[in-house]
Amino acid sequence: MTATPTRPNAGEPDVDGTAPATTGATFDSLNPANGDVVGTYPEHSAEDVRAAVGRAQEAAGWWSGLTFDERGELLTRWKGVMTRRVAQLAHVVHEETGKPHADAQLEIAMAIEHLSWAAGHAGKVLGRHRVSPGLVMANQAATVEYKPLGVVGVIGPWNYPVFTPMGSIGFALAAGNAVVFKPSEHTPGVGVWLADTFAEIVPDHPVFQVVTGHGETGAALAGAPLGKIAFTGSTRTGKKVMAAAAENLTPVIIEAGGKDALLVDEDADIEAAADAAVWGALSNAGQTCTGIERAFVHERVYDRFVAEVLRLAGDVRTGSDSEAQIGPITLPSQLAVIREHLDDAVARGGRALLGGPDAVGERYVQPTVLVDVPDDALAMTDETFGPTLAIAKVRDMDEAIRRTNASRYGLGSSVFSKKRGAELAGRIRSGMTSVNSVVAFAGIPALPFGGVGDSGFGRTHGADGLKEFTYAKAVARQRMKPLLMLTTFSRTAKADGQLAQVLTLLHGGSSTLPKVPRRKRAKRTEG
């Protein structure tokens, strides 16, 4: 798919979802496997971005005026188009990222599931509902609802160019907002495809537009007058987005990097844990924010785990053909980062049992398994974003928790344990944890997705994700005269005394907390 470089009538919305461009500047999207040109796209200027946001502000008035059911019906129709054309979209993802078609299809399937959930649950989560006014304010009827913010800007990544941005786009649309999306300059075709197919369902209103370009285009969007901006990318760039957004007091969601750990307890299913570790570390060539980069393994099962990981990882094949399991490194500059991390690990005493510094080629990185890497090495502290896994031996899970939580990142994590999975998961400082699996949390639409620390803040997905793109509107309606008239200058001393009596009755006891009946302990099961 190649977008038209320039468009007539630049002030008018297009029949598709790509914003008009006022200049003839363009850039190419390249296939990372061979360097071929996949498509040519407009380099949207700051003026183009402002114009797109202006059109979106008008469209937001119409879109927010629809009912939840009406918006849900349109989003469901869009979901149907995406589903019927999944092979077409997967091909665009494959061409621009290099990932295998099957992995591209898996990513799209997850995005469709999340869009379906958002469309079907927005009304229940965000619609007006009653809350208790309390005894003192019993004369009032209290309600709260969640209103759309207007226009939401989304800046998406290249590693999961459908699933990740759709966690913001789909939920923002379901909440009643218009969206202006700036995809990565490495995957503009995916963004154009999404906006164009939405425009087939909603052709008369630019509710969802895409602007393409490099960092200047993203900076213009971050600095535009928006209701909110959702960014996925590096921590360093996330700080720049926040700085630009601060000029307009625009709130932000930041989903930044990760250094996710996998914990393997002594009672874990070692075969399952090793299989999950290999997938979590190597899938998408390791280019996953919630991918497994570190593994902390109980000393009693360490040798078995390492042997099984080596057996499985040794069979993973890199390439661009249909039989390859992982593809190239999409971002060329990342190759130098991966090489630096591997060189540093070996220089500090780490050992490469598979792969190593020589595994880094011109476009591909072969699977690499490291051991004995010190905790202050780059491969243990910084995001590598390549098909590497550093495995460390620990005395017990207390040590594993301590070393896991020493990271400045806190995005996802995984635990393998038959008896203590939930307990250990609760002790990890991360936004998400999978027990006896990896990245399962990302596939569950009802669960919030996001991190802490240098991994960012705010949440997409689930009810939390819907509320992120709204503001709470509280309404108190007097339905009868109050028993105590307190909000008046004609308040009497008698009313003050009665208030004091009510407060003492309600809150003056030694304990005002209601007794909670003790629950019977559930029988402990695996996980």
Side-chain angles (χ1 to χ4, degrees):
M1 177 184 290
T2 304
T4 306
T6 57
R7 300 177 183 273
N9 303 320
E12 298 296 325
D14 280 61
V15 294
D16 58 25
T18 306
T22 55
T23 70
T26 63
F27 68 101
D28 292 333
S29 170
L30 305 178
N31 185 326
N34 52 31
D36 289 349
V37 175
V38 177
T40 302
Y41 298 89
E43 187 79 55
H44 282 108
S45 65
E47 180 184 352
D48 297 331
V49 172
R50 286 193 297 270
V53 171
R55 291 190 297 272
Q57 287 170 341
E58 293 185 14
W62 171 80
W63 183 249
S64 65
L66 301 179
T67 66
F68 286 111
D69 287 344
E70 288 170 336
R71 283 196 297 269
E73 170 61 25
L74 292 170
L75 292 174
T76 299
R77 289 171 57 190
W78 184 33
K79 176 190 70 173
V81 172
M82 293 174 65
T83 302
R84 291 189 296 273
R85 301 182 195 170
V86 66
Q88 182 187 81
L89 178 55
H91 179 70
V92 180
V93 173
H94 168 73
E95 288 283 291
E96 290 197 316
T97 68
K99 69 174 63 177
H101 281 90
D103 286 356
Q105 179 174 284
L106 176 60
E107 171 187 349
I108 297 163
M110 292 172 63
I112 290 171
E113 281 287 312
H114 282 69
L115 177 60
S116 178
W117 192 93
H121 287 78
K124 181 179 179 181
V125 173
L126 306 176
R128 184 184 297 117
H129 60 277
R130 294 181 180 180
V131 297
S132 172
L135 185 60
V136 174
M137 302 294 289
N139 68 305
Q140 298 282 336
T143 62
V144 62
E145 62 182 314
Y146 296 86
K147 310 283 280 185
L149 297 169
V151 180
V152 170
V154 177
I155 300 178
W158 47 263
N159 58 331
Y160 289 91
V162 178
F163 173 71
T164 300
M166 281 297 293
S168 297
I169 294 166
F171 283 71
L173 290 171
N177 302 280
V179 172
V180 178
F181 173 38
K182 193 276 178 188
S184 166
E185 60 269 28
H186 298 283
T187 55
V190 176
V192 169
W193 192 98
L194 292 172
D196 285 356
T197 52
F198 181 86
E200 293 178 22
I201 305 302
V202 185
D204 299 326
H205 301 273
V207 173
F208 175 31
Q209 299 172 79
V210 65
V211 290
T212 55
H214 289 78
E216 294 79 5
T217 305
L221 183 59
L226 301 166
K228 199 162 202 173
I229 188 157
F231 166 82
T232 302
S234 70
T235 303
R236 177 177 55 84
T237 304
K239 292 177 181 180
K240 294 180 180 179
V241 169
M242 289 180 65
E247 293 297 318
N248 292 314
L249 284 181
T250 302
V252 298
I253 301 172
I254 301 292
E255 199 261 276
K259 194 69 182 177
D260 289 10
L262 179 147
L263 280 61
V264 183
D265 204 355
E266 60 181 315
D267 67 342
D269 181 333
I270 299 304
E271 287 71 24
D275 185 70
V278 170
W279 169 261
L282 305 184
S283 62
N284 200 33
Q287 301 167 120
T288 303
C289 295
T290 55
I292 301 300
E293 298 203 3
R294 303 176 293 159
F296 296 103
V297 185
H298 198 289
E299 60 185 5
R300 293 181 181 173
V301 295
Y302 174 82
D303 290 339
R304 285 175 52 207
F305 178 82
V306 170
E308 185 66 10
V309 165
L310 290 174
R311 184 184 71 82
L312 295 171
D315 291 336
V316 176
R317 196 166 67 77
T318 303
S320 59
D321 59 278
S322 60
E323 300 300 319
Q325 293 165 291
I326 59 175
I329 300 301
T330 304
L331 190 63
S333 61
Q334 194 64 29
L335 290 162
V337 175
I338 298 169
R339 184 180 291 107
E340 179 188 15
H341 285 202
L342 296 181
D343 286 339
D344 177 71
V346 172
R348 289 170 176 265
R351 293 183 295 130
L353 302 184
L354 180 70
D358 292 339
V360 182
E362 293 184 0
R363 298 184 186 274
Y364 296 87
V365 176
Q366 301 302 320
T368 293
V369 177
L370 303 169
V371 296
D372 301 333
V373 181
D375 284 351
D376 60 350
L378 293 173
M380 298 295 279
T381 61
D382 293 7
E383 189 175 40
T384 304
F385 231 53
T388 69
L389 175 64
I391 306 175
K393 182 190 298 185
V394 295
R395 294 184 305 276
D396 51 35
M397 288 298 100
D398 289 338
E399 180 186 348
I401 293 288
R402 176 179 57 78
R403 293 172 70 176
T404 295
N405 290 345
S407 173
R408 67 182 185 274
Y409 294 106
L411 192 54
S413 55
S414 295
V415 173
F416 273 78
S417 175
K418 292 178 180 177
K419 294 181 179 179
R420 302 176 59 197
E423 172 210 333
L424 296 173
R427 294 170 59 190
I428 296 175
R429 178 182 172 270
S430 67
M432 305 157 291
T433 303
S434 293
V435 177
N436 295 329
S437 64
V438 290
V439 300
F441 46 75
I444 301 174
L447 283 179
F449 187 100
V452 295
D454 273 15
S455 291
F457 51 84
R459 294 296 183 266
T460 57
H461 304 173
D464 298 80
L466 285 168
K467 289 180 180 179
E468 281 281 1
F469 299 106
T470 64
Y471 67 92
K473 175 66 175 181
V475 175
R477 177 180 59 84
Q478 181 168 295
R479 38 187 203 90
M480 60 184 180
K481 290 185 177 181
L483 295 177
L484 292 176
M485 192 61 176
L486 302 173
T487 55
T488 174
F489 286 112
S490 61
R491 186 177 68 233
T492 65
K494 180 179 180 181
D496 288 338
Q498 289 173 328
L499 174 61
Q501 290 178 340
V502 171
L503 285 174
T504 301
L505 184 65
L506 291 177
H507 307 294
S510 59
S511 175
T512 59
L513 294 176
K515 290 185 177 181
V516 179
R518 295 182 65 182
R519 294 181 179 177
K520 291 183 178 179
R521 236 183 196 182
K523 186 178 181 181
R524 184 171 284 175
T525 58
E526 182 173 340

